[in-house]
Amino acid sequence: MALKEYPRGSTFPGVIGRTWEQSSPAWPAPIRARQGAPNVLFIVLDDTGFGHLGCYGSPIRTPNLDRLARGGLLYNNMHTTALCSPTRSCILTGRNHHSNGMATITEVSLGYPGYNGTIPFENGFLSEMLLEHGYNTYALGKWHLTPAEQTSAAGPYNRWPLGRGFERFYGFLGGDTHQYYPDLVHDNHPVPPPRTPEEGYHLTEDLVDRAIGFIADTKQVAPDKPFFLYFATGAMHAPHHVRKEWSDRYRGQFDDGWDAYRKKVFQRQLELGIVPPGTQLSRHDPDVQDWDALPPEEKRLYARMMEVFAGFLEHTDHHIGRLLDALEESGELENTLVMVISDNGASPEGGPHGSVNELKFFNNTPESLEQNLQAMDALGGPQYFNHYAWGWAWAGDTPFRRWKRETYRGGTTDPFIVHWPRGIPARGELRTQYCHAIDMVPTVLDCLGISPPEQIRGVTQSPLEGVSFKHSFTDAQAPSRHVTQYFEMFSNRALYHDGWRAVCPFPGPSFKEAGEEFGASKLDEDRLRRLDAEGWELYHVAEDCSETRNVAEQNRGKLIEMIALWYVEAGKYQVLPLASPDRAVFSAERPQISPDRQRYVYRPNTSPVPENVAAHVLNRPHTITADVEVTDGAEGVLLCHGGITGGYSFFIKDHKLHYLYNFVGEREFHLESAVEVPRGHAELRFEFEPTGKPDLAQGRGTPGRGRLYINGDLVAQSDIDATMPLVISLGEGLTCGRDDYSPTSSMYEAPFVFTGDLHQVVVDVSGEHLHDEKAEQNALMARQ
């Protein structure tokens, strides 16, 4: 008897008798993809500008991405939102970032529908759509789409990758991570990296190994089953981590500076046809130093920063090449629809002088040129969280103005490559149609012959807001079907409509021209009215793609029409209210799965606790109390939060109790007990008593005095006069009984697991247990 199948949800077509012999079976049909359905591969680069890839005119070698462009299509008119989480939400849902509640990154969510950081289930992911059509679905690398306060082991997990249609995940949930000591999650649980930096570990290589493994696991069982692979590198986001053999390949190649880089890249773009004839290179940005006027030591530092970035990009391309080679060797590349995109323009987060520790940016802590110079030879290694000077971000977006976070084209126009040998006959051709990241989902569905679902898991779906550009695959002259697109990021606004572009930068075309620094600008109603009256610029980008000729005065009627249309789009997609780009929003109160409390209890052998839900000890009195059984020679970490770039660690070493506070990687405050920790049961406590007020403008948190106690006796005290004001760590959370990430203290090697019996560690932020008369009486014995 032939096996009988029937569609799920339909009537059972078999026969049910009183016995098995009198009956005829039928089976619900498994979900199968149509015969010959292509695989789908999204490669999402981070912070990679329009002028960074070799095929876009860059001197940086990217042979593997270049070969995709030679074997497929290169687009010069693809747009993103200007920031990572918002763009990624567009890439995966086909809806605009405010429609996804993702106006900014998840850590800066605010209590408004377009800003709450929570992608609604009615905005289904491509993974959820393809799962229902017989695809395997994998996500690797950067996620950054789960509300930050929901990324702990307490969940909820329904907005983690496996909750949004991906069957397997290996990567990190936050916005960036250390490339040598990453904050890794496998499916729904944290895992340590498989090797150490000393053993040659690097995250990009690990991600490619896992991607190849995920595909091979399935193909050996079901070789005809297609897959959707969302491969999102941690590169090229800071930290720019790569070993010297890669960065040294570019020794001396950027010594002539960012202005020279722009000119060379722009000339190459003209030669390649990446930009149309007659395009003008945009102006020298007022916020960027004149290279020729810089002192020699600064030139050398900035050139080295770019050498590291270039080596990092070539290294990333190399490992992407390994993934492509694996697909080619297995016969899968021919029928894999590959789309390569960056999430935004190049990043200025290193500031004017670059940074050896991006944590300083998020804490508003000034960079020290002297410290950066001292670190120059070790940039790219595991001890730094480095980022280049923003002159290189400006150069990386050649020929456009500005950079990430802003809505000039430097922030929103990105590299985009499509490669599908079986489905696209053209090879190595340029496409100029206007596209946006929201168009990727509808295009994939169009290529697969799949209609957008009306429901996913019982939830009625919202309409897709992007449009397919599949028609451009076979017709270079086909008209753009994406006619209107709004932009908004940190109150920077723009609107594209039918060849015109209106831009309203905030606080101005540059920080220098506005007389304000990033993070210090406030937008109130009066200022918004002035901006609407005077702040909008107008560019006919059909003829001036690099936005060099502001024609607002000559086309006042057109400008007014564009401003009005921006507000129509803003109303349609939940863009209001506009929010000022204030760093303080990082520490704004947000809903938590557990109410805020004054006492946090941590136990060993538990999952790391992310920054957003860990005990918040910044700028307040607090105690850390460990309940332990000290065995002979016991040592190790009791509690720590952070890593090599900043944080604190409470630990026993050489029979002494220690507390070390690492201030943004540049200074360590160390307390060591004057006596040894006794064997047996002990209560070990650290106390922090504020002695002043925080200075957020100068990147300084509350200063204070730290004290160590053993069984109630004061054994050490010292001032801690520099603390982080806003953020303790970047991805390296709180751990109990060990240090899971890069070592928070220079005094030990991670993980430095505690070898005694640790019952629990209590963090108390009530301020009730600080400093008593006994502490004063014993002060003389304390080590300063």
Side-chain angles (χ1 to χ4, degrees), residues 132-150:
E132 295 302 312
H133 288 271
Y135 275 70
N136 280 125
T137 55
Y138 318 122
L140 289 110
K142 176 173 173 174
W143 182 244
H144 211 196
L145 291 172
T146 301
E149 56 276 3
Q150 296 181 20

Side-chain angles (χ1 to χ4, degrees), residues 734-754:
L734 181 149
T735 53
C736 182
R738 67 195 187 282
D739 187 341
D740 266 354
Y741 304 107
S742 63
T744 308
S745 169
S746 59
M747 295 181 61
Y748 59 75
E749 293 184 5
F752 201 38
V753 177
F754 183 63

Side-chain angles (χ1 to χ4, degrees), residues 47-54 56-60 254 257-263 265-266 269 281-282 288 306 309 313 342 344-348 388-404 409-411 413-415:
D47 289 357
T48 303
F50 190 84
H52 273 150
L53 303 184
Y56 281 81
S58 171
I60 302 172
F254 305 108
W258 35 66
D259 296 278
Y261 178 98
R262 293 186 85 227
K263 291 175 183 176
V265 170
F266 178 59
Q269 289 173 338
L281 183 62
S282 59
V288 175
M306 186 58 185
F309 178 89
L313 180 52
S342 173
N344 44 244
S347 170
Y388 56 25
W390 64 19
W392 292 118
W394 168 63
D397 291 326
T398 302
F400 304 122
R401 301 173 65 169
R402 302 300 281 177
W403 41 51
K404 174 182 178 179
R409 291 195 69 182
T413 305
D414 290 287

Side-chain angles (χ1 to χ4, degrees), residues 219-469:
K219 290 295 183 180
Q220 67 184 355
V221 176
D224 296 327
K225 188 174 185 180
F227 63 80
F228 168 44
L229 170 58
Y230 176 75
F231 185 82
T233 63
M236 295 299 296
H237 199 290
H240 298 161
H241 277 159
V242 72
R243 288 181 170 80
K244 285 175 66 68
E245 58 262 32
W246 291 90
S247 53
D248 283 353
R249 298 179 182 187
Y250 290 89
R251 281 280 186 188
Q253 295 189 30
F254 305 108
D255 288 355
D256 50 359
W258 35 66
D259 296 278
Y261 178 98
R262 293 186 85 227
K263 291 175 183 176
K264 287 185 287 190
V265 170
F266 178 59
Q267 185 59 41
R268 183 64 178 148
Q269 289 173 338
L270 286 170
E271 293 169 0
L272 293 170
I274 302 299
V275 297
T279 298
Q280 299 296 311
L281 183 62
S282 59
R283 67 174 185 167
H284 180 98
D285 195 281
D287 287 333
V288 175
Q289 304 104 307
D290 179 358
W291 183 268
D292 292 336
L294 291 171
E297 65 273 14
E298 286 193 50
K299 290 182 179 180
R300 184 69 221 116
L301 170 64
Y302 301 151
R304 184 57 180 169
M305 288 176 167
M306 186 58 185
E307 291 167 7
V308 172
F309 178 89
F312 190 24
L313 180 52
E314 185 176 349
H315 174 267
T316 301
D317 176 87
H318 169 77
H319 287 290
I320 289 173
R322 292 177 49 234
L323 174 58
L324 299 176
D325 288 345
L327 292 175
E328 190 167 33
E329 291 165 6
S330 64
E332 296 292 337
L333 187 60
E334 181 76 12
N335 196 30
T336 297
L337 172 56
V338 182
M339 293 185 177
V340 182
I341 192 171
S342 173
D343 60 357
N344 44 244
S347 170
E349 288 159 5
H353 303 298
S355 174
V356 300
N357 183 358
E358 200 186 25
L359 185 63
K360 293 183 178 182
F361 171 82
F362 291 104
N363 276 299
N364 201 28
T365 304
E367 288 287 336
S368 165
L369 179 60
E370 292 72 25
Q371 290 173 343
N372 291 358
L373 285 167
Q374 292 171 8
M376 181 168 61
D377 290 340
L379 293 180
Q383 65 268 52
Y384 293 113
F385 209 97
N386 49 293
H387 195 303
Y388 56 25
W390 64 19
W392 292 118
W394 168 63
D397 291 326
T398 302
F400 304 122
R401 301 173 65 169
R402 302 300 281 177
W403 41 51
K404 174 182 178 179
R405 299 191 313 247
E406 301 183 21
T407 55
Y408 286 113
R409 291 195 69 182
T412 65
T413 305
D414 290 287
F416 185 64
I417 301 167
V418 179
H419 181 274
W420 183 22
R422 186 173 293 182
I424 302 175
R427 297 290 183 272
E429 294 185 6
L430 178 72
R431 293 293 183 265
T432 62
Q433 287 81 5
Y434 188 94
C435 306
H436 189 276
I438 60 174
D439 299 332
M440 293 171 65
V441 166
T443 302
V444 168
L445 296 181
D446 195 4
C447 291
L448 303 186
I450 295 173
S451 298
E454 295 182 0
Q455 289 189 341
I456 292 177
R457 287 179 286 194
V459 178
T460 300
Q461 294 296 286
S462 66
L464 296 182
E465 294 166 1
V467 296
S468 171
F469 52 83

